[in-house]
Amino acid sequence: MPKGKKKGKGKGKGKGSGKDKGKGKDKGKKGSSGGDNESKKLLKTYERNCAMTNSQMCSGIKSLLKAAAEDDKVVTKFILESVPVEKEGDMPVLFEPFIMSLRHERYKHIQDIHVWDYPMGHENIASLSLFLEKPYYPIRLLELMDCLIPSPSMHRFSQALPCCDLLTTLILDYNEFGDEGCKHLCSGLERNYTLLSLSLCYCDLGVPSGAVLGRILSTTAVRDLFLDGNELECEGVTELIKLCVDQSETEAYQREEEAKRKAEEEALQAENDKIYRYEGMTGDTSGSEKESKGKKTPPGSGKKKKKKGKKKGKKKKEPAGPPPVGPWVHKLHLADNGIDGYGEGGSFAPIICMRLFKKLVMNSKCLEELDLEDNHIGELGGRQLVEGLEYRKEAKLGGVKVRTSHQMKTDTFNTIVKLGAGLKKKAKKGKKKGKKV
């Protein structure tokens, strides 16, 4: 083999080769810092804090950190679950050692926090709030499901929400903090401009929460709202969506005016083209020379001037700006919310409420999902939905997935299923709300 080739091959295997340098860079991205990587450090700190607080480590977090340490990677998603204490002497899984470990190591890679079936007292909520208020933790998703969060604790939690500059999804399902807790939560969300999705399923919300959540839906970036299993009733739902309905009607009117303007412009342009073609065929331009002075030249006439200079490269895509703030709703889930004739307003209440939904379906271009299952809206309410879906189809606004109760005529229900197909049923967590008699 030639001498030059051998030398090149040996150089590729050497310490300073480009191949090895690339590997080193990739490894650094994964989390290696020459010694213990960040996942290993966090695991050791978590073990130490659990020993100090007489608690056991969460098995899911422990195994996840071990695997990440072996693969030299960092963990971005953590799920903490409580473990039932079966016999005396068993240590429980505690929340405090975990959150303390993240703060001690200043673990900046965390993005998603899930806490499931863990009873969070006021101290736990305060610790979590202090953690969220720190600017160097890029939390994007926070889920506290079935954590028995009381209403007073929501006041402390809400104070941290304006500091969460990257938080886009907040899930607080199965925490029965009621209308008072919802009020505290929304006071913090009013100063948050990044949250896109809010889930408050089975949180014991009543009619007063409708107006409070309606203000959040209309004045913040929140566009996906999941409120299954509450008691908003027709009155609360009306307050929730009325500003979104008004906005959708305004936008529909603007679209109509824009379509009319374009149609007039096209008709005028077609008339001008017809005049120019006629004059070109007859050769008589004397009568129109004076008139044509103030008119634009028809498209396609004359020679096109060549642009001088070199071709410019492709424009770089500008970074996406902040999400739009305003009364726009993309996904609205209101299954099992007492939208029926048993609340205030009597049998006419669901019809009035469903008329609003009809306008929303007809005019809202951004609406994607509407879930009204387990609400007795009746045949008249169902007809309102059908009319809205049919109008939307003719207007070519795009499909919307709709699910509703089957307590109506078969033809009406089948039409809704046909026009609004695609919304899958969300699995319930095992709790069932008592039905009205």
Side-chain angles (χ1 to χ4, degrees):
M1 190 175 282
K3 201 172 182 181
K5 278 193 177 181
K6 280 185 181 179
K7 195 173 181 182
K9 195 175 180 183
K11 194 176 179 181
K13 287 183 178 180
K15 196 175 182 181
S17 70
K19 197 174 180 182
D20 286 341
K21 278 183 183 177
K23 279 186 178 179
K25 281 182 183 178
D26 290 340
K27 208 172 183 182
K29 283 180 185 178
K30 288 181 180 179
S32 177
S33 57
D36 292 345
N37 64 17
E38 293 183 62
S39 297
K40 197 170 184 179
K41 287 179 181 177
L42 182 61
L43 179 62
K44 287 181 179 178
T45 305
Y46 186 33
E47 285 176 349
R48 185 173 64 250
N49 286 339
C50 284
M52 289 169 62
T53 53
N54 294 323
S55 66
Q56 64 168 305
M57 298 175 70
C58 175
S59 58
I61 294 176
K62 183 180 178 181
S63 58
L64 197 66
L65 287 173
K66 274 188 176 180
E70 289 172 4
D71 296 339
D72 199 14
K73 293 180 180 178
V74 292
V75 182
T76 59
K77 177 181 176 180
F78 292 90
I79 301 173
L80 186 138
E81 295 181 88
S82 66
V83 176
V85 179
E86 296 178 356
K87 55 186 178 180
E88 197 174 339
D90 287 351
M91 290 188 296
V93 172
L94 298 181
F95 177 75
E96 288 296 329
F98 169 64
I99 208 74
M100 280 167 55
S101 303
L102 293 172
R103 292 182 67 183
H104 288 166
E105 290 300 325
R106 201 172 271 199
Y107 191 78
K108 299 177 184 179
H109 304 285
I110 186 167
Q111 293 181 3
D112 301 352
I113 298 179
H114 302 262
V115 183
W116 296 343
D117 302 317
Y118 183 88
M120 296 190 74
H122 189 75
E123 290 182 4
N124 299 138
I125 293 294
S127 298
L128 176 62
S129 301
L130 285 170
F131 176 79
L132 294 173
E133 286 166 355
K134 301 299 178 185
Y136 33 79
Y137 298 115
I139 305 299
R140 300 177 187 275
L141 183 148
L142 178 62
E143 180 178 22
L144 306 174
M145 187 168 66
D146 198 9
C147 292
L148 304 176
I149 302 174
S151 173
S153 297
M154 291 304 296
H155 178 63
R156 176 64 188 95
F157 178 70
S158 68
Q159 293 173 356
L161 293 174
C163 305
C164 302
D165 295 333
L166 296 173
L167 186 68
T168 58
T169 304
L170 179 61
I171 304 169
L172 298 172
D173 298 346
Y174 298 96
N175 292 290
E176 298 177 358
F177 42 73
D179 295 325
E180 193 63 29
C182 182
K183 189 178 177 182
H184 289 316
L185 175 68
C186 292
S187 67
L189 289 176
E190 283 176 355
R191 291 166 289 155
N192 181 291
Y193 301 104
T194 60
L195 192 73
L196 300 177
S197 179
L198 176 63
S199 185
L200 301 174
C201 299
Y202 297 92
C203 287
D204 197 25
L205 307 183
V207 173
S209 293
V212 178
L213 289 168
R215 189 164 62 250
I216 292 301
L217 192 59
S218 305
T219 59
T220 68
V222 173
R223 61 191 187 192
D224 299 340
L225 197 55
F226 303 91
L227 299 170
D228 298 342
N230 291 295
E231 286 292 341
L232 294 183
E233 299 182 2
C234 296
E235 187 182 349
V237 171
T238 300
E239 292 295 321
L240 176 69
I241 65 170
K242 67 180 183 181
L243 290 176
C244 293
V245 172
D246 291 344
Q247 177 66 23
S248 68
E249 288 183 310
T250 303
E251 290 179 358
Y253 175 76
Q254 290 171 350
R255 285 196 299 267
E256 285 178 10
E257 291 298 309
E258 183 67 18
K260 284 180 185 177
R261 187 185 64 79
K262 283 184 178 179
E264 287 172 2
E265 285 181 357
E266 287 173 5
L268 183 62
Q269 187 64 40
E271 188 67 27
N272 288 340
D273 290 347
K274 196 182 288 185
I275 292 169
Y276 284 118
R277 280 199 300 271
Y278 175 75
E279 289 173 353
M281 288 170 67
T282 59
D284 182 17
T285 58
S286 59
S288 60
E289 276 180 359
K290 291 179 181 179
E291 294 176 8
S292 63
K293 283 181 181 179
K295 290 182 180 179
K296 295 178 182 177
T297 56
S301 66
K303 293 180 180 178
K304 290 182 180 179
K305 292 182 180 179
K306 291 184 179 179
K307 291 181 180 179
K308 294 180 180 179
K310 294 180 181 179
K311 289 183 180 179
K312 293 182 179 179
K314 290 182 180 179
K315 290 182 179 179
K316 291 182 179 178
K317 287 184 179 179
E318 294 182 3
V325 173
W328 296 287
V329 59
H330 291 211
K331 297 178 183 179
L332 183 59
H333 288 216
L334 292 163
D336 194 13
N337 260 276
I339 305 172
D340 49 39
Y342 299 106
E344 247 181 82
S347 57
F348 291 104
I351 301 170
I352 296 167
C353 185
M354 292 310 297
R355 279 179 185 166
L356 286 177
F357 279 118
K358 173 188 170 181
K359 291 178 182 178
L360 188 66
V361 171
M362 283 172 59
N363 301 316
S364 177
K365 198 173 182 179
C366 62
L367 186 65
E368 297 172 4
E369 295 180 9
L370 179 61
D371 187 3
L372 298 173
E373 195 181 29
D374 293 332
N375 293 295
H376 192 183
I377 62 174
E379 170 64 17
L380 293 176
R383 289 304 308 167
Q384 297 292 321
L385 272 182
V386 168
E387 289 171 16
L389 288 168
E390 287 175 343
Y391 181 90
R392 187 183 184 89
K393 186 179 179 181
E394 290 174 8
K396 296 179 181 178
L397 289 180
V400 56
K401 300 173 184 177
V402 178
R403 189 168 68 234
T404 184
S405 169
H406 63 276
Q407 294 175 329
M408 59 186 72
K409 288 183 179 178
T410 307
D411 292 344
T412 306
F413 179 74
N414 288 342
T415 307
I416 293 171
V417 170
K418 184 181 177 181
L419 295 173
L423 189 58
K424 294 180 180 179
K425 191 171 182 179
K426 190 179 177 182
K428 292 184 181 179
K429 192 177 172 289
K431 291 188 176 183
K432 287 187 180 179
K433 190 180 68 167
K435 293 281 182 182
K436 289 182 184 178
V437 181

